[in-house]
């Protein structure tokens, strides 16, 4: 059965002289891998070869049995995000978000709200002139992704003893494995942890402040998230090196 959806391309791999295998994030059907037969031919039903961040209406056929590639039959791709390719910093932030999205979402598991957030994120990156704005939006997207996959960090109490966070805590630590804060009494018993200063934590507790936060603070907050994603994935994300 032919299925129609809205999609953004997360990855392309050339399959033959004329075809591609693409990973798409679709709005209603989640992440899918699909064969685009003939997409590299000069004339095809795909508006030219499919590129990363190609965005538009797609038609595809899902196989009855799991684990097989869908067949992509149509992809109308107006040049919505071509501007990203002209700005290296914006592109790196977009690629980092893409890598994490691909790593953490399961195939065929729809996250429509996250899809909308991802498109909005790319639009913001494309228009942003300032590196701080790009970093703030990357952090906002990363937090949203964690929330969507059920891993929203616990940032208002100690995960070990439930003591409410207090600005009186001399040192604050975040444990990735416990997905939350460790209070000064509990942190000594934990090996796996990452220090975060109280002012930076206050920003994370109220992410609406992120777009107005200076670059140095954003950088430190991003280091905490990179630490967290590295622990979750069991290895550093490939794009993390551009943000450390
Ligand atoms: Zn505690």
């Amino acid at each position: 059965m032919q299925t129609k959806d809205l999609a953004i391309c997360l990855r392309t791999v050339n399959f033959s002289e004329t075809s591609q295998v693409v990973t798409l994030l679709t709005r209603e059907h989640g992440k899918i891998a699909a064969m685009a037969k003939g997409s590299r031919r000069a004339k095809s039903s795909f508006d030219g070869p499919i590129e990363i961040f190609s965005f538009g209406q797609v038609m595809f056929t899902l196989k009855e049995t799991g684990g097989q590639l869908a067949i992509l039959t149509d992809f109308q791709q107006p040049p919505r995000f071509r501007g990203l390719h002209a700005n290296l910093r914006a592109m790196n932030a977009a690629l980092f978000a893409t890598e994490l999205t691909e790593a953490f979402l399961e195939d065929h598991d729809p996250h429509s709200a996250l899809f909308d957030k991802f498109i909005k994120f790319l639009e913001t990156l494309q228009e942003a002139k300032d590196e701080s704005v790009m970093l703030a939006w990357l952090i906002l997207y990363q937090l949203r992704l964690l929330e969507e996959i059920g891993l929203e960090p616990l940032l208002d109490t100690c995960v070990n003893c439930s003591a409410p966070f207090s600005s009186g805590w001399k040192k604050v630590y975040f444990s990735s494995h416990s997905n939350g804060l460790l209070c000064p009494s509990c942190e000594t018993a934990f090996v796996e942890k990452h220090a975060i200063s109280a002012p930076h934590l206050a920003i994370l507790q109220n992410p609406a402040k992120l777009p107005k936060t200076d670059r140095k603070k954003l950088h430190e907050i991003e280091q905490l998230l990179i630490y967290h994603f590295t622990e979750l994935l069991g290895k550093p994300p490939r794009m993390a090196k551009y943000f450390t």
Side-chain angles (χ1 to χ4, degrees):
M1 197 186 77
Q2 286 270 9
T3 307
K4 198 175 174 180
D5 207 337
L6 195 59
I8 180 124
C9 178
L10 302 181
R11 178 205 284 266
T12 72
V13 178
N14 290 339
F15 180 75
S16 65
E17 290 282 302
T18 56
S19 301
Q20 292 170 293
V21 172
V22 296
T23 305
L24 303 175
L25 182 65
T26 67
R27 192 172 190 283
E28 310 296 338
H29 299 81
K31 190 178 74 169
I32 62 167
M35 172 68 77
K37 279 189 189 143
S39 62
R40 301 179 69 206
R41 290 184 203 278
K43 279 190 176 177
S44 76
S45 51
F46 300 109
D47 256 358
I50 299 163
E51 295 175 4
I52 189 163
F53 306 130
S54 287
F55 172 70
Q57 291 286 342
V58 287
M59 294 269 276
F60 56 87
T61 309
L62 286 174
K63 293 285 170 115
E64 295 291 318
T65 49
Q68 288 193 46
L69 292 174
I71 304 295
L72 190 66
T73 50
D74 190 40
F75 195 169
Q76 299 304 318
Q77 12 167 0
R80 180 85 167 265
F81 294 120
R82 290 269 160 83
L84 279 177
H85 296 262
N87 184 329
L88 186 63
R89 289 182 197 284
M91 191 62 173
N92 282 343
L95 288 172
F96 195 3
T98 301
E99 179 186 355
L100 296 171
T101 302
E102 201 185 344
F104 285 104
L105 293 193
E106 303 286 340
D107 285 356
H108 310 293
D109 178 21
H111 286 272
S112 306
L114 187 71
F115 178 92
D116 294 342
K117 206 82 187 169
F118 188 60
I119 299 304
K120 176 82 184 142
F121 168 62
L122 295 181
E123 280 171 350
T124 308
L125 281 181
Q126 185 162 254
E127 285 157 22
K129 303 271 182 285
D130 189 90
E131 202 183 335
S132 301
V133 174
M134 295 177 194
L135 190 50
W137 277 78
L138 175 65
I139 294 169
L140 282 168
Y141 180 76
Q142 289 171 328
L143 292 172
R144 186 58 195 264
L145 175 66
L146 289 171
E147 198 182 309
E148 279 279 333
I149 58 174
L151 289 177
E152 189 178 6
L154 190 66
L155 297 176
D156 50 6
T157 55
C158 172
V159 282
N160 196 48
C161 71
S162 302
F165 167 74
S166 139
S167 51
W169 290 8
K170 285 226 165 60
K171 277 194 170 170
V172 192
Y173 286 91
F174 176 81
S175 160
S176 177
H177 298 182
S178 308
N179 201 28
L181 299 183
L182 297 169
C183 76
S185 315
C186 296
E187 64 88 3
T188 48
F190 285 73
V191 177
E192 179 278 308
K193 61 193 173 186
H194 183 97
I196 178 166
S197 69
H200 294 139
L201 177 64
I203 297 165
L204 266 183
Q205 287 167 332
N206 186 0
K209 287 182 180 167
L210 281 162
K212 293 204 169 7
T213 301
D214 69 59
R215 191 170 166 277
K216 199 160 170 280
K217 291 197 182 85
L218 291 171
H219 183 77
E220 191 183 316
I221 292 167
E222 180 58 24
Q223 300 321 298
L224 174 72
L225 286 168
I226 288 174
Y227 165 79
H228 191 30
F229 285 121
T230 301
E231 292 295 318
L232 289 172
L233 292 168
K235 60 177 182 189
R238 287 189 311 277
M239 290 305 296
K241 61 178 178 283
Y242 299 102
F243 295 87
T244 50

